[in-house]
Amino acid sequence: MSTGILLTCMLFTAVGTGTSLESVPLDWVKVGGEIGRRIDITVYNNTMVMDIDGEFLEPFIRKENVGGGYIGIGKTIDALVRFAKYTNDPKVIERKDHVVKTLLDAQEEDGYIGLFKKSDRVWKLWDIHEIAYIIYGLLMEYRFFRNESALEGAKKAGDYLIQNMSPYPERIPGDGDVCWEMGTTGVETAMLCLYEDTKDPKYLDFVKSYMKLDQWDGPIVKGRWGHIQGHAYAHLKRCMAKMQLNRIETNLDLLKPSRKVLDFILKDNGMVIIGTCGQHECWHDTQEGSANLGETCMTAYLIRWWDEQLRETNNSKFGDLMERAIYNALFGAQSLDGRKIRYYTPFEGKRVYFDQDCYCCPCNFRRIIAELPQMIYYTKDNFIYINLFTPSKATLTVDNMSVEIEQETDYPSDGIVKVKINEISQEKAFPIAFRVPLWCKEVKARIDSGDWMVKNDLAGNIWTIVNLWKKGSVLEINFGMKMRVIRGTQAQAGRVAIMYGPQVFCVSRKANPQLADKDLRLITIDPKTIEGPFPDDTVRKGGLKFTVKGWNTLNWYPLVKYDYENIVLTEFPDPDGEMTYLHVHNPEDPIIENDKFWNSNM
């Protein structure tokens, strides 16, 4: 008979008070399911097969003949380091070692490590940006593999930037072609990490006295114009740097820019339904879904930012935001075999793949994929917190005791999750907490096949179960996962999208030959005819689809019969997906609900 005790843990708000959740070491987690598959194909079908010498390293060796540009080698090192640690694969480790050594061998005596000839260094775009991420990548090599030469290379590069930037406090990289924040993206994080690893105050002083990070409170500028002040990824990166500075020397005023971004995204239509934001790389609130929507860099940084917000605030809604972005915008940015990556991922119109492996978006994609294993489980003091639901195993430390935990689940295809205690050094009572998704109206849990405990008021909160856990204990969770018809806003007013759990569904012509020559915006659906989910392997093994009936909007009256009997809706990462929102006759139909994130209290 179970000894479980039901506890409900509501939202915590103790930001900056030492109550933050702690990530699990990268090599203590192994991931399966769709998240695990995406990690594997990004490692072996992308990172390990791209031309790392010719496309990434060669320009740094022959810098005088290159004359500039941007590669993203620092971001690539960061991803390689994490993939090497996660997989422990000798071939991945060998490739990582080769890249780090080759780059360090190309570093000059004065510390410069870049692409530019001497007359163009530092102030020509994108030299500062490249060097900043190289510093960060080398520091990750030091942190994960204790490579002292990487630390020394990072210090030399950091000192080079300080020496060459400090005399020019008013100068803008690129001679003003872009705003200062965009041209220096990554510098604050690199210097703060140098400070964390060396405790040398010059790096912290540079961030505060020269970069003036503690004083920055930039406005959210909508649209792409002028010097691109509204560049979303650069803006969010600075917000995250201020969060990092707050962890070093607590000052809650440093969190105000993040608060403004959060309000814009969730209360002012700044985020779109697939969990990303930004049009043409810049802030936007129109809800338009075509063309250059959702820069992959921004999607990656949003997920990373949600993770930081979750760990700092213990607010489970940030986990909802993470998984929506992961299963839709992030996975939608990659081909199904993992080889190709998109620069933008629109939810309306055809999507195209980027034609290079280098540059910012492909490199940032690999980085965030490499970080996903550490976003599944967290610990704090004596409890385990489960954030993402996916087949996985992790070795965790609770009360100085080792616990091996495993998830068995088909999530996001259904809401059943079994959490097993595979190994534990002794029987011990401690809490296991898990996120109850914002869309979940009813959640049930039971221990060792005991009686179900049912909660109808925990959506967007945390459920904590305290039990005397032992080897073989099983916590079974059942999230009430149902299809939802979501009301569009702004440019999508009068239209709806279909969701199931965290997943968004879309229409592709390939799955709907009857629509091959039709204007997909001229389709009106009857939401009461939605059926499913049905099994569908279009996007992933064990995936889902829905069907719905509808009309050609131009032929809607009189409604004698449906023009289209079975319109197939596939999961958003379907590479042939072209339309996410579909027109309805009655936008106020009771079956249609608002997206719970918009106007959400965070």
Side-chain angles (χ1 to χ4, degrees), residues 378-385 397-401 403 428-433 466 469:
Y378 303 84
T379 60
K380 177 58 184 175
D381 298 329
N382 69 332
F383 74 83
I384 293 169
Y385 178 65
T397 300
V398 181
D399 257 355
N400 298 315
M401 176 181 61
V403 180
K428 185 79 172 182
F430 61 87
I432 294 180
V466 179
W469 303 106

Side-chain angles (χ1 to χ4, degrees), residues 431-568:
I432 294 180
F434 56 90
R435 174 176 59 85
V436 179
L438 194 59
W439 45 261
C440 181
K441 295 180 180 179
E442 179 184 275
V443 57
K444 300 189 294 185
R446 65 180 178 179
I447 300 170
D448 297 333
S449 300
D451 294 336
W452 285 104
M453 300 175 285
V454 183
K455 297 295 291 184
N456 299 305
D457 58 353
L458 278 182
N461 289 295
I462 299 168
W463 192 351
T464 302
I465 305 283
V466 179
N467 185 59
L468 182 63
W469 303 106
K470 59 185 178 181
K471 183 175 180 179
S473 293
V474 178
L475 168 62
E476 187 174 358
I477 307 164
N478 190 339
F479 299 111
M481 191 178 287
K482 297 180 180 179
M483 181 275 297
R484 309 187 311 284
V485 183
I486 305 299
R487 180 177 288 105
T489 64
Q490 304 289 90
Q492 305 305 329
R495 306 168 73 79
V496 298
I498 310 304
M499 294 193 70
Y500 185 74
Q503 295 190 104
V504 178
F505 287 76
C506 64
V507 175
S508 77
R509 298 178 194 276
K510 186 174 182 180
N512 293 279
Q514 76 277 25
L515 303 179
D517 60 348
K518 308 298 181 182
D519 184 343
L520 299 183
R521 284 193 63 85
L522 294 180
I523 294 175
T524 295
I525 65 166
D526 180 354
K528 292 183 176 62
T529 67
I530 297 173
E531 295 184 354
F534 304 110
D536 181 68
D537 293 341
T538 298
V539 173
R540 59 186 175 91
K541 185 177 181 180
L544 303 174
K545 68 179 178 182
F546 287 88
T547 63
V548 65
K549 297 178 181 179
W551 305 269
N552 180 330
T553 303
L554 300 179
N555 300 334
W556 77 273
Y557 187 80
L559 296 179
V560 176
K561 65 176 183 176
Y562 295 108
D563 293 318
Y564 311 115
E565 286 292 328
N566 287 296
I567 299 171
V568 175

Side-chain angles (χ1 to χ4, degrees), residues 13-294:
T13 56
V15 180
T17 60
T19 64
S20 58
L21 296 166
E22 298 173 3
S23 297
V24 177
L26 185 57
D27 53 342
W28 290 12
V29 184
K30 295 304 173 190
V31 190
E34 182 64 359
I35 294 177
R37 188 186 79 85
R38 292 286 180 166
I39 294 170
D40 291 343
I41 62 176
T42 305
V43 176
Y44 295 107
N45 296 3
N46 187 283
T47 307
M48 292 297 289
V49 299
M50 62 190 187
D51 184 5
I52 198 77
D53 286 298
E55 193 169 357
F56 287 84
L57 290 173
E58 183 62 24
F60 289 88
I61 297 171
R62 59 182 180 89
K63 61 180 71 71
E64 292 292 339
N65 296 321
V66 175
Y70 183 75
I71 300 296
I73 189 67
K75 297 181 176 76
T76 302
I77 290 174
D78 179 30
L80 271 169
V81 164
R82 294 173 193 271
F83 285 145
K85 192 69 173 179
Y86 172 75
T87 64
N88 197 32
D89 183 332
K91 292 184 179 179
V92 181
I93 295 172
E94 180 182 21
R95 171 158 281 211
K96 179 265 299 180
D97 290 344
H98 168 67
V99 173
V100 171
K101 184 179 185 304
T102 302
L103 194 65
L104 288 173
D105 287 346
Q107 188 172 27
E108 299 183 16
E109 284 297 318
D110 63 358
Y112 181 74
I113 185 167
L115 301 167
F116 290 76
K117 58 186 179 181
K118 291 184 178 181
S119 61
D120 292 336
R121 288 179 182 177
V122 180
W123 297 107
K124 189 172 181 180
L125 291 176
W126 298 95
D127 204 21
I128 290 174
H129 184 60
E130 186 89 68
I131 295 171
Y133 278 95
I134 289 173
I135 293 169
Y136 183 82
L138 292 175
L139 289 176
M140 294 306 104
E141 164 71 1
Y142 170 70
R143 291 184 180 186
F144 282 98
F145 289 93
R146 309 315 294 175
N147 184 340
E148 293 288 343
S149 64
L151 176 61
E152 289 305 310
K155 288 164 57 179
K156 287 173 62 178
D159 294 346
Y160 178 87
L161 282 184
I162 291 174
Q163 293 164 7
N164 287 274
M165 292 176 69
S166 295
Y168 309 99
E170 306 299 325
R171 191 167 182 182
I172 299 175
D175 295 321
D177 290 341
V178 298
C179 64
W180 188 82
E181 289 85 355
M182 187 175 176
T184 60
T185 298
V187 173
E188 297 99 338
T189 299
M191 295 298 176
L192 290 174
C193 288
L194 275 169
Y195 173 73
E196 290 171 345
D197 288 348
T198 68
K199 302 306 179 187
D200 190 328
K202 67 183 175 186
Y203 301 117
L204 181 59
D205 181 67
F206 181 75
V207 168
K208 295 170 68 176
S209 63
Y210 179 83
M211 303 295 291
K212 295 181 173 56
L213 178 63
D214 52 339
Q215 302 173 37
W216 179 81
D217 189 17
I220 294 175
V221 179
K222 293 181 287 187
R224 186 179 179 110
W225 56 279
H227 301 296
I228 322 181
Q229 281 94 342
H231 193 272
Y233 152 42
H235 187 115
L236 189 60
K237 186 73 178 73
R238 296 211 90 200
C239 291
M240 294 178 66
K242 296 198 74 161
M243 292 179 68
Q244 185 179 6
L245 182 58
N246 174 62
R247 292 192 292 272
I248 293 171
E249 46 183 42
T250 303
N251 176 1
L252 298 187
D253 284 344
L254 294 169
L255 305 181
K256 289 181 179 178
S258 283
R259 181 74 252 178
K260 288 198 301 186
V261 172
L262 187 61
D263 287 344
F264 173 73
I265 286 176
L266 298 181
K267 296 181 179 180
D268 296 328
N269 285 291
M271 185 183 80
V272 296
I273 195 166
I274 59 173
T276 190
C277 59
Q279 185 68 260
H280 299 283
E281 301 183 354
C282 295
W283 297 119
H284 90 311
D285 60 359
T286 66
Q287 293 290 305
E288 292 178 308
S290 59
N292 296 331
L293 175 85

